[in-house]
């Protein structure tokens, strides 16, 4: 069968590209290994409790954001609605709590009030981060990372594009509390302050600070389901529970795919939304790639993964004064929270996230109950045997959570958990990577894999390509891929 575009993987990047291309009038086929669309943006039910698989806050839902752009073009802006979160999150340290306000000016003033000695430095730091954010959000990636004229026009961007976030902080802020708060979302970049990109962290902090964080009203699953609906309503097709086994390449041109059950589908363009290593090394084949490109991929490292415990509880969490998203830290040393993720994930150094969905979407649990996730960073090869230690680690993580939710273990109605192996099995992401490639200075911007590949007619979407990890970024990759395909 022949199509204009075949998309491998129904994650949010692939769905965005597919829905836009179908809306453009192209004949689209999506092939997905799972039984539902969405990748990491899926939802599931255990007894009477609903859970989103792994997501916390989403950016880009404001007027002009990448998600807003996609929904507007697809006519879904009224069908998919969002709740704006305020505060965006809460950080809990020993004897210290900080609410990250959904207003950047209030956020800055709150930070300055912590340490008057650092007030000027905080102001200067945010001025720099705003400039870095402006460059990233307004100029094409190939220009800002490769064009030599950038050095003269945007000297701050040039100065920091090869620096870590720690190096940026060292110049302006010394108070350990302020530094810890600014590094609180290193877990969602997948690297500690000493390794994560200054550009990447600055962009994320300013994006949330200026434009807010959001959750889908109802279940997150409504979002990918709506994109899948656009594809099907515009003469496209989606095949679930099916693996692609091979990309057909003729004269360095991707012309089709073969599924694991032997079916062959042809198309003018192929979009891969799955793991880059699987795309190139297994489906396309190294024989179709230059040694230089192979070497580049082999050197790239996947991001951190997570260990997650899903809990349905029969207690009123709102009465405890808890917010919808909480980061809990054993000290102000964010660097140390990454130290044991491959050997002891619930060690005394570990931080963890508590995401309480039912404080924004109460219908996800029975009346008087709540659905929540406990989440901590985890290495794929942890103890080399997740199956044997998963239940024990779940107990340890629940015990850690009792620091902020007393007697939690006595109120559990339903419990489930997911390891990096679980995430890999359901989504196909190498080593259960939460953000595609690790988002350090060597894996960002032009150093990341681009949407257009060395194989003609083969494009990438998702978090293995630009702009990077996170739902807004992968939706952006889908929009960018659609633009390139439509330009021909």
């Amino acid at each position: 069968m022949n199509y204009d575009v075949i998309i491998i993987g129904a994650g949010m990047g692939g769905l965005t590209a597919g829905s836009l291309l179908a809306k453009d009038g192209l004949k689209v086929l999506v092939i997905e290994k799972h039984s539902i669309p969405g990748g990491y943006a899926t939802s599931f039910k255990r007894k009477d409790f609903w859970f989103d698989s792994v997501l916390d806050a989403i950016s880009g839902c404001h007027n002009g954001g990448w998600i807003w752009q996609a929904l507007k073009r697809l006519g879904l802006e009224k069908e998919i609605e969002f709740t704006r979160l305020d505060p965006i999150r809460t950080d809990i340290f020993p004897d210290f709590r900080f609410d990250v306000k959904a207003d950047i000016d209030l956020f800055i003033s709150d930070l300055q009030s912590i340490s008057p000695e650092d007030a000027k430095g905080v102001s200067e730091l945010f001025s720099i981060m705003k400039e870095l954010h402006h460059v990233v959000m307004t100029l094409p990636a190939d220009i800002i990372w490769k064009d030599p004229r950038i050095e003269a026009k945007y000297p701050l961007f040039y100065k920091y594009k090869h620096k870590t976030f720690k190096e940026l902080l060292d110049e302006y802020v010394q108070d350990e509390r302020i530094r810890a708060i600014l590094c609180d979302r290193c877990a969602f970049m997948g690297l500690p302050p000493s390794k994560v990109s200054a550009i990447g962290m600055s962009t994320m902090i300013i994006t949330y600070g200026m434009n807010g964080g959001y959750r889908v009203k109802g279940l997150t699953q409504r979002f990918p389901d709506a994109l899948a609906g656009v594809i099907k309503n515009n003469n496209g097709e989606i095949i679930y529970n099916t693996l692609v086994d091979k990309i057909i390449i003729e004269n360095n041109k991707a012309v089709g795919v073969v599924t694991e059950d032997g079916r062959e589908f042809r198309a003018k363009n192929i979009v891969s939304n799955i793991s880059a290593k699987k795309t190139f090394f297994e489906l396309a084949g190294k024989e179709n790639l230059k040694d230089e490109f192979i070497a580049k991929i082999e050197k790239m490292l996947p991001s951190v993964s997570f260990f997650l415990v899903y809990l349905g509880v029969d207690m009123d969490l709102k009465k405890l004064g808890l917010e919808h998203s909480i980061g809990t830290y054993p000290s102000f040393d964010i660097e140390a929270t990454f130290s044991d993720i491959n050997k002891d994930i619930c060690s005394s150094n570990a931080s963890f996230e508590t995401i309480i969905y039912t404080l924004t979407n109460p219908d996800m649990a029975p009346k008087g109950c709540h659905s929540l996730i406990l989440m901590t960073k985890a290495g794929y090869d942890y103890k080399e045997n997740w199956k044997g230690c998963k239940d024990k680690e779940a107990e340890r993580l629940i015990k850690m959570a009792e620091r902020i939710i007393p007697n939690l273990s006595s109120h559990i109605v339903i419990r489930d958990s997911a390891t990096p192996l679980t995430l890999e099995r359901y989504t196909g992401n190498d080593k259960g990577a939460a953000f595609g490639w690790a988002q350090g200075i060597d894996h960002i911007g032009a150093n990341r894999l681009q949407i257009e590949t060395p194989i003609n007619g083969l494009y990438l979407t998702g978090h293995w390509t630009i702009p990077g990890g996170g739902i807004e970024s992968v939706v952006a990759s889908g929009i960018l891929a659609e633009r390139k395909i439509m330009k021909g």
Side-chain angles (χ1 to χ4, degrees), residues 71 74-82 216-217 222-230 233:
L71 294 176
L74 296 169
L76 297 174
E77 70 274 21
K78 293 183 179 179
E79 181 176 340
I80 303 300
E81 296 182 294
F82 300 92
V216 178
K217 287 186 178 180
R222 295 182 64 245
F223 191 178
D225 284 350
L227 298 182
V230 171
N233 292 336

Side-chain angles (χ1 to χ4, degrees), residues 135-152:
V135 175
V136 170
M137 299 303 288
T138 57
L139 295 177
D142 55 348
I143 292 178
I144 62 175
W145 294 96
K146 295 181 179 180
D147 194 321
R149 293 172 293 181
I150 289 297
E151 180 178 358

